[in-house]
Amino acid sequence: MKKMMFAAAIAQEKRNDMSTQGMNTLARERDYQAISERLSRMEPQQAARWLSLQEEELRFAVACKMQPQQAEQIFRCQQEQTTQGGYLHTGAFTLAKNRIFWLMALMVSGMITGSILAKYESAFAAVPMLVTFIPMLTDTGGNAGSQSSTMVIRAMATGEVHFRDLFVVLWKEIRVGVLAGAVLSAVNFLRLLLTTPHSAEIALTVSLAMFLTVVMAKTIGSLLPLVAGLVKCDPAIMAAPLITTIVDAFALSMYFKIAQLVLGL
């Protein structure tokens, strides 16, 4: 009996080795559809182990072609394996290499924010109180965008959302942005009326800017991960910092444009 079990285990191991060799060939050929079909027939743990050894681009492309239920099973196994030490076993140089390009690009693009502030220097020189609300606007926009980005990335990883669902996702997030922006703006307007009773125009300016910022941030936050997947970039590394840069630039521009209209600057 033991010999039979041992022989069966050896035969299974040989089949696994042959399957792995075939998968590696498909990986070199970038045949993502064939890889996804092979992985669907494998045990989720085995499929997760093989995927964990591949590049981020391949893992993401394969996940997008799998059935949602199968992708979710493999994704859960990958999460368990990653929790057990995938991140800890990755060298600092590799982590830095994967992130440094976007950090460098965003550091340079961050100069846009400085140029916008310089352009509207006369506005906050005339009404210094406007400056105090800038961190609140940019932080709220960044948080709103990150929420949408995280939800879309998770849906993409499980195979629920693909690039072809772009307009469905955008329409959903725009509606979420309108609802969330309306509530945040209303609460913020009332708060400012109570704390600055003689500045209803400033309260209106800040609230309108917040509404537009949240709607835009939700839209950009849902769009960028899908675009990243289309061009085979890692959305987790690219989307979040890029959202912050775009939202900051938009929020400041809208804020001071509204201030000029409402306050007559």
Side-chain angles (χ1 to χ4, degrees):
M1 187 67 177
K2 290 182 178 179
K3 290 182 178 180
M4 292 176 62
M5 293 176 62
F6 183 70
I10 292 177
Q12 181 64 37
E13 181 133 4
K14 287 183 178 179
R15 285 195 295 270
N16 290 343
D17 290 341
M18 292 177 63
S19 176
T20 300
Q21 291 175 1
M23 295 284 285
N24 291 336
T25 301
L26 293 174
R28 287 192 294 271
E29 295 173 355
R30 299 293 180 181
D31 192 344
Y32 301 131
Q33 185 62 46
I35 293 174
S36 67
E37 292 173 358
R38 289 276 191 95
L39 291 175
S40 299
R41 296 193 293 267
M42 296 168 63
E43 289 293 325
Q45 293 84 357
Q46 183 186 357
R49 279 195 299 271
W50 184 84
L51 279 174
S52 66
L53 300 175
Q54 309 306 313
E55 297 177 352
E56 182 66 29
E57 174 186 342
L58 185 144
R59 294 201 300 269
F60 184 77
V62 170
C64 290
K65 292 185 178 296
M66 297 183 71
Q67 293 296 321
Q69 298 84 354
Q70 296 166 336
E72 185 173 3
Q73 286 182 337
I74 295 174
F75 177 68
R76 286 177 179 172
C77 292
Q78 272 193 299
Q79 279 188 317
E80 293 175 1
Q81 294 172 6
T82 301
T83 303
Q84 293 171 359
Y87 171 79
L88 296 178
H89 290 170
T90 304
F93 179 80
T94 302
L95 292 174
K97 181 183 68 174
N98 292 337
R99 304 174 189 179
I100 194 67
F101 170 77
W102 289 107
L103 292 175
M104 187 82 68
L106 294 171
M107 179 186 69
V108 174
S109 62
M111 298 176 184
I112 297 173
T113 304
S115 64
I116 293 173
L117 288 173
K119 179 180 179 181
Y120 293 103
E121 185 177 0
S122 58
F124 55 76
V127 185
M129 186 178 293
L130 291 175
V131 182
T132 62
F133 301 112
I134 291 177
M136 180 183 66
L137 285 173
T138 55
D139 288 350
T140 302
N143 293 335
S146 296
Q147 278 185 338
S148 296
S149 173
T150 301
M151 296 297 293
V152 172
I153 290 173
R154 184 171 66 181
M156 291 169 68
T158 59
E160 181 184 357
V161 169
H162 302 83
F163 186 78
R164 63 175 177 268
D165 303 311
L166 173 65
F167 293 107
V168 175
V169 173
L170 283 179
W171 176 233
K172 182 183 290 290
E173 289 300 323
I174 288 173
R175 287 179 292 165
V176 172
V178 169
L179 293 173
V183 172
L184 292 173
S185 298
V187 172
N188 191 59
F189 182 77
L190 293 175
R191 182 185 70 85
L192 291 177
L193 283 182
L194 294 175
T195 57
T196 55
H198 302 295
S199 302
E201 294 84 359
I202 290 180
L204 179 62
T205 298
V206 175
S207 299
L208 287 175
M210 176 167 290
F211 175 78
L212 293 175
T213 297
V214 171
V215 174
M216 189 279 305
K218 290 288 186 184
T219 305
I220 296 297
S222 61
L223 174 65
L224 285 180
L226 293 170
V227 174
L230 182 66
V231 299
K232 309 303 181 186
C233 290
D234 184 355
I237 294 177
M238 181 271 279
L242 193 55
I243 287 170
T244 301
T245 301
I246 295 175
V247 168
D248 286 355
F250 178 88
L252 289 175
S253 297
M254 288 298 98
Y255 182 40
F256 288 116
K257 284 289 185 182
I258 294 171
Q260 287 179 332
L261 293 174
V262 175
L263 302 175
L265 300 176

